[in-house]
């Protein structure tokens, strides 16, 4: 007689409940529709800019469909999805979708930022970079309070930055580089305490960096080069200890470089230049041993080259100390760093002879306009080296 195993009724019931939940979830997902006000806003924006959605993500006439709701499509890095959106369809028991990301990147869009954009209040990521957007940054930007990433770089935006930017307290990354703004950075930037990345290079800003800037304790990347910033380089920047990438060259800052910069031990990329006023030393870089790029070109450095122990800079691949008043000899240690590719020491007061050996990693060396002596070392004739 064949033996039969007994199946627990509770086991069957659990399985049925699970299947029912999955079915309901799938049904809800099928029924989820984009908020009608956001559909209207998106259509109006695309119409103003002469854009059409790719069928790759808009396969049903419903904006939040296809790649807009899958978990695999990376619209940031896939050129096939441009323009593109991403949605969150978990609202109202998974029946309502809200647009959370909008990408219109490098599509030669011409015109102002449409007023309809203010209706996409669930946006966390807005990328309108590398177009031909004109006009001012509208004050209604304050309504997009969930924004974490706002990228408007490389356009032709003008006017002053609105104080309403200070209401975007969830911003992690703000990029407005390469525009035509005027006036100072508004003091309300102090509200953006979650900022980790701030790109304001070549965007037309002027004046002194506001003291409230010191509140941005989480800042890791600050590109503020090629503007018309004036005054002393703020001492408080040395207290932004999370900084890894700082670019301040091409402004009208006065020296010296604050001694507090010695606190920036996490720095991997530092570019300062075009300073006036008081002279600076090299001592502040002593503990920045993670540096890959160090540019202090035309920074009123008056010090001995030996003040920085470059043997500790094992990751350094680009060093530019040109157009300063640096003295001393070019040490064998510096020329034999294993990772160093580019070395610019021109227009200083270096003296003595050059080392006989250099690292094979070096491709470019500039030692012009110094007071060097002795014979040319044999490496100056190496075919793969530009001297």
């Amino acid at each position: 007689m064949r033996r039969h195993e007994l199946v627990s009724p509770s086991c069957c019931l659990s399985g049925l409940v699970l299947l029912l939940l999955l079915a309901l979830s799938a049904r809800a997902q099928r029924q989820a529709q984009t908020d009608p006000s956001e559909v209207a806003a998106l259509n109006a924006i695309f119409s103003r800019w002469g854009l059409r959605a790719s069928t790759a993500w808009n396969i049903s006439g419903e904006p939040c469909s296809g790649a807009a709701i899958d978990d695999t499509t990376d619209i940031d890095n896939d050129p096939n999805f441009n323009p593109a959106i991403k949605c969150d369809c978990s609202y109202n028991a998974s029946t309502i979708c809200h647009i959370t990301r909008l990408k219109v990147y490098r599509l030669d869009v011409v015109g102002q930022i449409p007023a309809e954009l203010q209706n996409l209040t669930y946006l966390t990521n807005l990328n309108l970079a590398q177009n031909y957007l004109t006009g001012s940054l509208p004050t209604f930007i304050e309504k997009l309070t969930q924004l974490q990433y706002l990228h408007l770089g490389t356009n032709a935006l003008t006017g002053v930055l609105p104080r309403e930017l200070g209401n975007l307290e969830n911003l992690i990354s703000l990029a407005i580089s390469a525009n035509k703004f005027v006036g100072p950075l508004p003091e309300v930037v102090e509200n953006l305490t979650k900022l980790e990345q701030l790109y304001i290079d070549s965007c037309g800003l002027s004046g002194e960096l506001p003291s409230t800037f010191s509140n941005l304790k989480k800042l890791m990347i600050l590109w503020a080069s090629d503007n018309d910033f004036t005054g002393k380089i703020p001492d408080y920047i040395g207290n932004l200890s999370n900084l890894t990438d700082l670019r301040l060259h091409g402004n009208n800052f006065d020296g010296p470089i604050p001694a507090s910069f010695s606190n920036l031990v996490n720095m991997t990329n530092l570019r300062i230049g075009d300073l006036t006023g008081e002279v600076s030393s090299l001592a502040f870089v002593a503990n920045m041993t993670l540096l890959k790029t160090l540019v202090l070109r035309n920074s009123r450095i008056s010090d001995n080259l030996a003040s920085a122990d470059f043997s500790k800079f094992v990751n350094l691949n680009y060093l530019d100390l040109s157009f300063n008043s640096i003295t001393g000899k070019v040490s064998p240690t510096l020329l034999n760093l294993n990772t160093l590719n580019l070395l610019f020491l021109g227009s200083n007061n270096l003296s003595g002879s050059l080392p006989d050996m250099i690292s094979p990693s070096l491709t470019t060396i500039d030692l012009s306009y110094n007071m060097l002596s002795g014979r040319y070392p044999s490496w100056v004739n190496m075919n793969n080296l530009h001297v």
Side-chain angles (χ1 to χ4, degrees):
M1 193 172 183
R2 190 171 180 180
R3 190 175 181 181
H4 295 278
E5 294 183 358
L6 295 177
V7 179
S8 170
S10 61
C11 178
C12 293
L13 182 60
S14 298
L16 289 172
V17 170
L18 179 59
L19 289 173
L20 180 61
L21 288 174
L22 290 173
L24 289 174
S25 176
R27 182 181 178 186
Q29 183 68 27
R30 286 195 299 271
Q31 293 177 340
Q33 293 182 330
T34 314
D35 185 314
S37 65
E38 296 180 32
V39 175
L42 187 67
N43 287 335
I45 292 169
F46 281 12
S47 177
R48 289 182 187 276
W49 286 345
L51 299 175
R52 297 187 64 181
S54 166
T55 56
W57 63 266
N58 189 11
I59 58 175
S60 65
E62 167 65 35
C64 291
S65 61
I69 56 173
D70 68 26
D71 295 325
T72 57
T73 304
D74 180 4
I75 65 172
D76 284 333
N77 299 305
D78 191 333
N80 295 315
F81 296 94
N82 191 22
I85 63 171
K86 279 288 188 179
C87 303
D88 183 347
C89 295
S90 64
Y91 292 89
N92 290 31
S94 298
T95 62
I96 296 294
C97 300
H98 290 295
I99 299 171
T100 57
R101 302 180 66 176
L102 172 60
K103 171 190 173 183
V104 180
Y105 172 72
R106 202 176 181 180
L107 291 179
D108 297 335
V109 165
V110 178
Q112 298 186 353
I113 296 177
E116 290 84 0
L117 184 65
Q118 65 187 301
N119 294 325
L120 302 182
T121 55
Y122 288 81
L123 282 178
T124 61
N125 188 317
L126 175 60
N127 184 358
L128 305 180
Q130 296 195 35
N131 287 292
Y132 295 100
L133 296 178
T134 56
S136 61
L137 181 58
T139 57
F140 67 65
I141 197 73
E142 68 176 340
K143 296 183 179 180
L144 308 183
T145 56
Q146 297 195 41
L147 275 179
Q148 297 177 348
Y149 300 89
L150 176 57
H151 293 174
L152 302 171
T154 315
N155 278 288
L157 296 171
T158 56
V160 298
L161 289 178
R163 291 180 56 83
E164 286 77 6
L165 266 178
N167 292 330
L168 305 183
E169 297 182 4
N170 288 310
L171 277 182
I172 295 173
S173 178
L174 173 61
I176 56 172
S177 304
N179 277 287
K180 300 177 181 180
F181 296 113
V182 296
L185 192 66
E187 291 191 359
V188 290
V189 72
E190 68 178 327
N191 298 334
L192 310 182
T193 55
K194 295 180 181 179
L195 265 187
E196 297 177 6
Q197 305 171 359
L198 179 58
Y199 302 95
I200 53 175
D201 49 308
S202 304
C203 70
L205 295 178
S206 59
E208 297 187 6
L209 292 178
S211 59
T212 54
F213 206 93
S214 60
N215 291 335
L216 308 185
K217 301 296 186 183
K218 293 186 176 181
L219 206 58
M220 300 173 64
I221 299 175
L222 171 58
W223 291 10
S225 58
D226 300 312
N227 286 296
D228 195 22
F229 290 127
T230 57
K232 296 276 190 181
I233 295 179
D235 185 73
Y236 63 70
I237 290 180
N239 296 323
L240 304 179
S241 57
N242 289 310
L243 278 174
T244 62
D245 191 338
L246 175 62
R247 307 185 186 194
L248 298 175
H249 56 284
N251 286 286
N252 291 306
F253 284 123
D254 293 326
I257 299 170
S260 64
F261 274 37
S262 62
N263 298 327
L264 304 178
V265 296
N266 293 313
M267 194 69 66
T268 59
N269 190 332
L270 176 62
R271 299 170 186 248
I272 301 175
D274 311 297
L275 300 184
T276 59
E278 300 178 41
V279 299
S280 302
S281 74
L282 278 174
F284 77 93
V285 305
N287 296 321
M288 298 183 185
T289 54
L290 299 179
L291 279 172
K292 296 179 180 179
T293 298
L294 175 59
V295 176
L296 299 175
R297 180 186 176 90
N298 192 26
S299 291
R300 301 276 292 157
I301 304 291
S302 181
D303 204 349
N304 192 291
L305 188 60
S307 295
D309 183 0
F310 286 102
S311 66
K312 298 179 179 179
F313 292 67
V314 295
N315 299 310
L316 194 64
N317 56 51
Y318 181 15
L319 176 63
D320 187 350
L321 302 178
S322 56
F323 295 94
N324 286 294
S325 299
I326 299 173
T327 60
K329 295 183 176 182
V330 180
S331 69
T333 300
L334 178 58
L335 290 189
N336 283 278
L337 289 175
N338 289 332
T339 57
L340 191 62
N341 301 135
L342 306 170
L343 175 62
F344 300 94
L345 298 175
S347 299
N348 278 288
N349 297 316
L350 299 170
S351 58
S353 59
L354 294 173
D356 293 329
M357 302 290 293
I358 64 169
S359 169
S361 65
L362 274 168
T363 60
T364 301
I365 302 177
D366 181 3
L367 298 167
S368 58
Y369 298 100
N370 279 285
M371 296 182 289
L372 302 172
S373 59
R375 296 181 300 172
Y376 285 116
S378 59
W379 49 259
V380 301
N381 296 315
M382 292 172 57
N383 291 331
N384 61 341
L385 179 66
H386 179 68
V387 181

